[in-house]
Amino acid sequence: MDKEFLNELLAQVAAGEVSPDQALEKLRWQPVESISDFARLDHHRALRQSMPEFVYAEGKSPVQVASIMSAMVERTGTALATRVTQAHFEAVRAVLPEVVHNNVARTLSANSFPIAEIGRALVIAAGTSDVPVAEEAAEVLRFLGDSTRTLYDVGVAGIHRLLEQASYLQEADVLIVVAGMEGALPSVVGGLVDSPVIAVPTSVGYGASLQGLAALLGMLNSCATGLTVVNIDNGLGAATAAHRLLTRMRIAATGRVELSGQAVVR
């Protein structure tokens, strides 16, 4: 169920091609679907937020994740799960052979949305150890159809590695900056660009990093004004925040949402 389908259906009713009773029959299934006794799926979320519900796989059994993703694909054509294991992948692949597993990002995706023509995202990781969280963000953006570029291992310990990529920084409409340790990189990037910057602290670092708390506090106290900070290791949260910004940009530019909800195979 998406905006394109509803617009077409309402136009058919207005033109007399479909009766109100026939339209009601097409809309009869409920926006919330119960999956056994462990999940209630929100199939209409894309109508409200221009992006679907996501599956957080950690804490769910492989069978549960497979059941949820299968129901999502059946109803909407797409599905994405984060924090998956190999066991989750094997269970989902048994019912959705087309599912794509990004082992680094720990994601599973079945189909994706059309690539948007407007808006570019850049995902930056300070160090190689931060890449799994950065890849989670990048994979969510790719799934949602956002044009996405990545720039990894450009932390402040070798700041020249970042500065030599200055053109990438300036071209991006929204930037996600992922860093552990003391979490300094988002402040540096925030001082170089005028686009929105979303900072993601990671749990990477030695003892005094306190599993990402040091990076989180450093980012919250950034002297680069306007920096947005999400929770520790929350790549998905950063990606969906970036997607909301890009969606508003598209509406401002075109007067419509380019993310139609029509699934395409990636």
Side-chain angles (χ1 to χ4, degrees):
M1 183 65 66
D2 54 46
K3 293 179 181 179
E4 183 177 332
F5 173 84
L6 288 177
N7 284 334
E8 182 179 349
L9 181 60
L10 291 174
Q12 290 173 341
V13 172
E17 299 172 0
V18 174
S19 71
D21 286 341
Q22 290 172 323
L24 181 61
E25 186 62 30
K26 291 186 178 183
L27 296 172
R28 188 172 298 278
W29 62 274
Q30 297 299 311
V32 176
E33 177 186 0
S34 294
I35 305 297
S36 186
D37 60 350
F38 57 79
R40 290 172 57 82
L41 306 187
D42 182 5
H43 292 304
H44 279 193
R45 188 170 300 185
L47 292 174
R48 304 190 308 272
Q49 298 185 354
S50 296
M51 55 186 166
E53 183 175 14
F54 302 101
V55 183
Y56 182 74
E58 193 169 337
K60 296 182 177 68
S61 71
V63 172
Q64 288 174 334
V65 172
S67 298
I68 293 170
M69 291 192 70
S70 178
M72 285 181 163
V73 171
E74 181 180 356
R75 294 290 193 183
T76 65
T78 64
L80 183 138
T82 63
R83 304 303 169 95
V84 303
T85 64
Q86 182 67 25
H88 287 127
F89 171 46
E90 292 172 0
V92 174
R93 183 172 55 179
V95 296
L96 296 173
E98 73 276 18
V99 72
V100 176
H101 183 204
N102 184 322
N103 187 53
V104 176
R106 294 184 291 169
T107 60
L108 293 176
S109 58
N111 304 326
S112 62
F113 292 92
I115 299 295
E117 297 178 359
I118 298 174
R120 291 164 294 186
L122 177 63
V123 180
I124 302 173
T128 304
S129 296
D130 300 309
V131 169
V133 175
E135 264 299 294
E136 179 181 85
E139 189 67 10
V140 172
L141 288 168
R142 296 174 191 127
F143 172 77
L144 291 171
D146 296 310
S147 177
T148 305
R149 174 177 282 170
T150 58
L151 186 60
Y152 294 161
D153 195 25
V154 291
V156 295
I159 197 66
H160 57 284
R161 298 175 298 181
L162 174 70
L163 298 178
E164 68 183 9
Q165 307 294 338
S167 61
Y168 290 167
L169 304 182
Q170 296 298 327
E171 292 170 0
D173 296 302
V174 61
L175 301 91
I176 294 174
V177 186
V178 183
M181 302 290 187
E182 83 283 27
L185 186 60
S187 291
V188 174
V189 175
L192 295 174
V193 301
D194 60 0
S195 297
V197 176
I198 302 169
V200 188
T202 71
S203 51
V204 170
Y206 294 104
S209 69
L210 300 175
Q211 291 78 52
L213 182 59
L216 172 63
L217 294 176
M219 293 174 186
L220 289 173
N221 286 285
S222 172
C223 62
T225 54
L227 199 71
T228 298
V229 185
V230 300
N231 206 349
I232 298 169
D233 292 337
N234 192 4
L236 182 141
T240 51
H243 177 73
R244 285 174 182 259
L245 291 168
L246 293 172
T247 297
R248 298 311 300 180
M249 176 189 299
R250 291 162 195 149
I251 293 174
T254 66
R256 61 187 176 85
V257 181
E258 291 193 10
L259 184 60
S260 68
Q262 179 63 44
V264 295
V265 177
R266 183 170 60 189

